[in-house]
Amino acid sequence: MASQILIQFGEAVRARRIAEKLSQEDFAEIVGVHRTYVGMIERAEKNITLCNIEKIAKAFNISISELFKDI
């Protein structure tokens, strides 16, 4: 069972990605990861590393703290 923080983080990433009108595939390309990895993050199946959190924040052009503000 996924921890609550992984679920909340995945939901935050998905909501922001959708708000930016990006598919998982397009977002993955911007971040520099595989499309399935983005899906795994959004479904809370992956315990993401700090390095990848940083990549995601940069892809959204926001700070890491901004990515966590609603969690």
Side-chain angles (χ1 to χ4, degrees):
M1 183 174 204
S3 73
Q4 191 62 31
I5 189 69
L6 293 177
I7 293 168
Q8 291 174 322
F9 183 79
E11 289 172 352
V13 169
R14 177 182 288 128
R16 190 170 289 268
R17 176 182 61 75
I18 290 170
E20 297 283 331
K21 297 182 179 13
L22 293 167
S23 67
Q24 283 185 348
E25 188 172 355
D26 291 338
F27 184 64
E29 188 174 319
I30 293 166
V31 175
V33 297
H34 196 274
R35 176 192 53 79
T36 59
Y37 187 74
V38 171
M40 292 173 77
I41 292 167
E42 291 182 358
R43 293 188 304 274
E45 297 173 353
K46 198 59 130 168
N47 191 356
I48 185 170
T49 66
L50 287 173
C51 293
N52 284 334
I53 290 171
E54 180 182 40
K55 287 180 184 179
I56 288 172
K58 285 182 177 181
F60 286 134
N61 200 28
I62 60 171
S63 67
I64 291 171
S65 62
E66 180 71 16
L67 195 53
F68 284 92
K69 79 174 180 120
D70 294 326
I71 294 177

